[in-house]
Amino acid sequence: MKRTITTAALALSALAAAAQDYGESSAVRIDEAGRIHRTEVIPYDTRRDAEARNREAGGYYLAFSPRQMAAAGDMAVSGATLDIPYAWTDGVIYLHLENVGSAYSLWINDRPVAEVEDPATPAEFAVSPYIRQGANDIRLVLRPSATPQINPATPRREAFANSYLYYQNKRSIRDFEIALVPDSTRRFGVLELAIVAQNAFNYDEKVTVGYDIYSPQGKLLDFNMREVSIPGRSVDTVRFSPFIYGSYDNEWKAGGKTPPLYKVMLFTRRDGVYKEYMPLRIGFGRTELEEGRPMRLGRELQLVRASYNAAADPETTLAELKALKAQGKNTVCPDFPQPAWFYDLCDRTGLYVIDRAAIDAPERRDDRRVGGTPSNDPALADEYLERVRAMYYRSRNFTCVVAYDLGSPSGNGYNMYKAYEWLRSVEPSRPVIYGDADGEWNTDL
């Protein structure tokens, strides 16, 4: 096993994470494998399982609980052998990793998949090209980060908690973007929904995607679906924008006793049969910048902040969030991206969130020379952008997120300028903030 570690260590420099931003244009190729950025949602086989969040039903989900296999110095190998059914090999397969605890290199069946320097942010990987029917060896080489100078300190949690593999049909929902916002007249709500459908076959295929939405009181408000023809190994975006009447009676805002949330179900259909369901909860409202002030439905947000990172489990986290709310806090500010269930709890509890990228470089923050503060070291620009992208695509669909923070106070410079420009290019509404902008242009507040 020591030889396994040595071999993996020698291969670290050859590994590369393949990131992608497919959601910004239509008919994008999906030939890449490796790390991807998208909303964390599990597909379910039936509506009942989706509503109950019953992951184990339907055979789409496999928990990934690796064990430590060896350790040598500051490196270790953790892994597991998973039995992949034949049906999965005729679809697309993803791996979701959380709570890894260090930088890592991902290997599947002795093939390098990706390198990840960020130990804090949950990550997803497209792994279909590496998977085969039957036994599959998934290994992680846990190693020192190549960018320790920007890594935040993370709380200790159960290793690999909420890590898993899941399967989707080759004609399925790749990602989505959703918000329930005021219409131009400020009288009704509009469901702004963009579903990214994928066709993983090598030839053109028709894909039908749709949704339904229920009011917080349980009334069906709208149902729609649409068929789109997608070239082989590509994705395309299907957009819906129905009016949702009565939305102003169900305004979501922090501080309410029971914040009203609409239930939305995304689905696909093939030959009259529904193939997958994705359950969501959203609230009505949109955070916008007006003359340098964060506004929501015509009122300026009064943010009473508390620094907070999720506890080890949802139950403890929910109790602590309720305690913060009882103290008069209405906004939580984590130090780095959190598990998806954290944002869901904030939606349900009625707390705003200012999400923060996993960037923390306090040393030399005042050294603005090139290569002084890490934030002004162009050699780290790609890693800064990777972490900001990872934050944004994970939490963009949660109502509670009212602003994005580029990172902990870490000085300013080229990398933070590029991070701000990218985030502003994809985020049309919510403010982008940075506490160490020091009067420069790369912060909205």
Side-chain angles (χ1 to χ4, degrees):
M1 188 55 65
K2 288 184 178 179
R3 188 174 69 178
T4 300
I5 295 177
T6 303
T7 301
L10 292 173
L12 290 181
S13 61
L15 292 174
Q20 52 124 2
D21 295 322
Y22 55 83
E24 299 168 17
S25 60
S26 298
V28 177
R29 298 289 295 178
I30 56 171
D31 294 320
E32 80 294 326
R35 187 173 181 181
I36 61 173
H37 298 309
R38 72 176 194 170
T39 306
E40 181 191 341
V41 177
I42 294 291
Y44 297 87
D45 192 39
T46 69
R47 179 179 288 269
R48 177 178 295 180
D49 291 332
E51 291 175 343
R53 306 303 199 271
N54 184 5
R55 291 183 173 185
E56 285 72 18
Y60 286 5
Y61 168 92
L62 282 174
F64 179 59
S65 302
R67 60 181 178 84
Q68 186 175 101
M69 306 178 69
D74 54 5
M75 296 180 63
V77 174
S78 293
T81 299
L82 295 182
D83 190 57
I84 300 297
Y86 170 75
W88 280 36
T89 62
D90 193 37
V92 287
I93 303 171
Y94 302 96
L95 171 65
H96 178 88
L97 293 176
E98 284 189 36
N99 303 305
V100 179
S102 73
Y104 56 94
S105 304
L106 172 63
W107 293 70
I108 297 179
N109 293 325
D110 295 323
R111 297 172 61 192
V113 179
E115 277 198 62
V116 176
E117 305 303 330
D118 173 10
T121 308
E124 290 213 342
F125 305 87
V127 298
S128 300
Y130 306 94
I131 297 293
R132 61 198 178 205
Q133 180 187 0
N136 287 259
D137 292 321
I138 302 177
R139 302 283 182 263
L140 291 117
V141 180
L142 311 181
R143 53 174 177 75
S145 174
T147 57
Q149 65 271 43
I150 67 173
N151 289 342
T154 57
R156 295 184 61 85
R157 294 182 179 146
E158 181 183 353
F160 300 102
N162 196 40
S163 295
Y164 52 87
L165 279 85
Y166 62 104
Y167 157 89
Q168 287 184 268
N169 190 276
K170 287 187 175 181
R171 297 173 295 265
S172 54
I173 296 172
R174 175 80 167 192
D175 201 358
F176 58 90
E177 188 167 5
I178 188 169
L180 182 56
V181 300
D183 78 324
S184 59
T185 69
R186 303 285 170 162
R187 297 173 58 202
F188 312 112
V190 175
L191 180 66
E192 294 184 347
L193 173 61
I195 299 177
V196 181
Q198 68 179 346
N199 169 27
F201 287 103
N202 292 323
Y203 42 83
D204 292 7
E205 275 288 319
K206 294 180 178 179
V207 181
T208 299
V209 296
Y211 69 92
D212 55 49
I213 178 170
Y214 285 79
S215 72
Q217 294 76 33
K219 180 182 178 181
L220 176 63
L221 301 176
D222 197 60
F223 169 92
N224 202 353
M225 66 181 71
R226 190 173 303 154
E227 183 181 76
V228 59
S229 181
I230 304 177
R233 305 201 62 81
S234 300
V235 300
D236 206 348
T237 302
V238 183
R239 301 184 184 277
F240 303 91
S241 53
F243 286 109
I244 304 298
Y245 299 101
S247 297
Y248 277 87
D249 295 328
N250 293 303
E251 176 186 344
W252 186 97
K253 60 182 178 180
K257 184 177 181 181
T258 306
L261 291 170
Y262 291 75
K263 291 184 178 181
V264 179
M265 188 73 75
L266 310 183
F267 53 80
T268 62
R269 192 175 74 167
R270 176 75 175 176
D271 298 328
V273 178
Y274 294 92
K275 292 292 186 180
E276 66 177 356
Y277 294 88
M278 292 185 176
L280 316 171
R281 282 187 283 251
I282 61 171
F284 173 63
R286 164 172 274 169
T287 305
E288 299 174 296
L289 268 176
E290 295 182 15
E291 298 180 351
R293 298 180 299 162
M295 306 289 289
R296 196 172 181 89
L297 300 180
R299 296 186 295 274
E300 183 175 0
L301 291 180
Q302 303 298 323
L303 305 179
V304 184
R305 308 183 190 188
S307 296
Y308 179 77
N309 297 311
D313 58 80
E315 293 75 18
T316 304
T317 301
L318 178 59
E320 293 177 352
L321 290 174
K322 288 182 176 179
L324 288 174
K325 190 175 178 180
Q327 295 168 16
K329 308 297 185 182
N330 69 1
T331 306
V332 290
C333 304
D335 294 321
F336 45 82
Q338 302 291 298
W341 51 259
F342 167 83
Y343 304 101
D344 182 63
L345 288 177
C346 291
D347 277 350
R348 290 159 50 192
T349 305
L351 286 167
Y352 299 132
V353 174
I354 298 176
D355 208 13
R356 174 178 282 179
I359 297 171
D360 184 18
E363 296 183 9
R364 302 172 66 187
R365 54 188 286 204
D366 296 324
D367 186 350
R368 294 294 301 275
R369 295 173 299 173
V370 174
T373 169
S375 298
N376 200 34
D377 183 353
L380 296 174
D382 288 346
E383 184 64 22
Y384 271 64
L385 288 172
E386 174 79 358
R387 297 185 186 211
V388 171
R389 278 194 290 262
M391 168 194 65
Y392 176 71
Y393 283 116
R394 295 196 72 259
S395 65
R396 61 179 174 164
N397 287 316
F398 289 97
T399 304
C400 61
V401 177
V402 295
Y404 289 102
D405 192 339
L406 297 179
S408 300
S410 303
N412 208 9
Y414 178 80
N415 299 337
M416 286 302 186
Y417 302 153
K418 300 299 289 186
Y420 175 85
E421 288 177 336
W422 182 85
L423 195 46
R424 274 267 57 100
S425 74
V426 296
E427 174 51 62
S429 174
R430 288 169 285 201
V432 176
I433 65 176
Y434 182 48
D436 249 10
D438 196 24
E440 294 194 72
W441 53 270
N442 58 320
T443 185
D444 296 329
L445 297 177

